[in-house]
Amino acid sequence: MNDEISRRLRETAAAHEPNRARILARVERGAADPSVRHRTRSIARSGPRAAIVGLVAAATLATGGLAVAVAAIGGDPLLPATTPAPTPTAPSATTTVTSAPTPSARPTTTAPAPAPAPTSGSARPAPPDGSRVKNGPLWSEGSLGANSNIYWAQSNLTLKTAKPLTSVTVEMRIAQTGGVRSTGHWRTLPSDDFTVTVQESGGALLYRWVLKPGRTVPAGQHVFASQYNHATGARDLERDIYHVDAQSSGGSFAVWGGFTTTR
């Protein structure tokens, strides 16, 4: 029996021409796809076939023709199991995210609120202490004329009345601060309606306008002005005052005050 098998193997091996290309292709496929498992025939086969397999293995080792022996018994070529080389796994790089430090908040500086700017042209100067600038239908304001300079000045009295006046006396006292001399006077009302006098009195230059009998000052705004020279320089207005006495159909009224610089 063994001689017969050996003879058949030798004859088959001598007549077989292995297909090297086919073998190499199967090897390459096996190497490229490690998931494909090569079929391995169980060694627990029936007696004659198991013996044949053992002889084939021995003959194959002797001749180096494993593929030839397998072909002789009609099976698939028994290729050595190829264990794919483990794919090197790159060490898992642990990415450490470093958060940039949050810049510390700068201290907030609260700027003080700016002081409100004064409104020019709308607010009138406050009258001097002890003044009474309004009474009944009368309203008054004393100011230094914008045309005044370091040698000469003009003091203005603005008088408003809500009712016609039947009697009016206007006085201005310009304190003698040095070199004060009258250079003139005027008013917006007709000059023929008033008697005007200018004189030195009690250390001041006194201007007086008196409404003539039978004349009337109409309701509205009127201006009385005194003009004078003075010593060179800015003149002090603190002691300058005015006083107005008037009568209307509603009774007698009086206003008084000082002069302020409006320039």
Side-chain angles (χ1 to χ4, degrees):
M1 178 68 179
N2 292 337
D3 292 340
E4 178 63 21
I5 292 174
S6 299
R7 183 182 63 78
R8 289 176 60 185
L9 288 174
R10 284 194 297 271
E11 289 176 357
T12 302
H16 180 72
E17 293 183 1
N19 188 337
R20 297 178 59 85
R22 182 168 174 266
I23 293 172
L24 290 174
R26 290 177 66 91
V27 171
E28 290 175 357
R29 286 198 301 273
D33 188 2
S35 65
V36 177
R37 297 180 178 273
H38 299 290
R39 290 180 299 171
T40 304
R41 296 187 184 275
S42 173
I43 60 174
R45 302 292 180 91
S46 57
R49 190 165 181 83
I52 292 174
V53 171
L55 292 175
V56 169
T60 300
L61 293 175
T63 61
L66 176 61
V68 176
V70 175
I73 62 176
D76 291 333
L78 298 176
L79 299 177
T82 304
T83 302
T87 304
T89 303
S92 138
T94 302
T95 304
T96 302
V97 179
T98 304
S99 299
T102 303
S104 58
R106 297 182 178 179
T108 303
T109 303
T110 303
T119 304
S120 60
S122 60
R124 295 182 181 274
D129 294 340
S131 299
R132 186 171 79 177
V133 299
K134 296 177 65 177
N135 182 225
L138 300 182
W139 176 93
S140 61
E141 179 184 63
S143 63
L144 183 67
N147 54 346
S148 301
N149 54 53
I150 61 173
Y151 309 106
W152 177 90
Q154 175 177 297
S155 294
N156 299 327
L157 168 61
T158 301
L159 180 66
K160 294 181 182 179
T161 177
K163 294 181 177 182
L165 304 176
T166 57
S167 173
V168 175
T169 299
V170 176
E171 291 184 347
M172 287 191 196
R173 295 182 66 88
I174 306 301
Q176 183 55 260
T177 56
V180 176
R181 297 288 183 273
S182 177
T183 60
H185 50 79
W186 58 268
R187 88 259 100 232
T188 56
L189 292 165
S191 58
D192 291 343
D193 288 353
F194 288 87
T195 300
V196 184
T197 60
V198 181
Q199 62 184 20
E200 293 277 351
S201 174
L205 191 61
L206 177 60
Y207 293 79
R208 180 183 286 122
W209 292 264
V210 179
L211 183 66
K212 294 178 180 180
R215 308 294 174 93
T216 301
V217 172
Q221 177 173 305
H222 313 287
V223 178
F224 296 83
S226 60
Q227 300 172 325
Y228 48 91
N229 289 330
H230 59 77
T232 303
R235 183 176 172 275
D236 185 6
L237 307 178
E238 185 176 358
R239 293 184 293 147
D240 295 352
I241 59 173
Y242 68 86
H243 192 284
V244 179
D245 291 309
Q247 290 183 349
S248 72
S249 58
S252 299
F253 309 96
V255 290
W256 59 87
F259 294 87
T260 58
T261 303
T262 57
R263 289 180 297 171

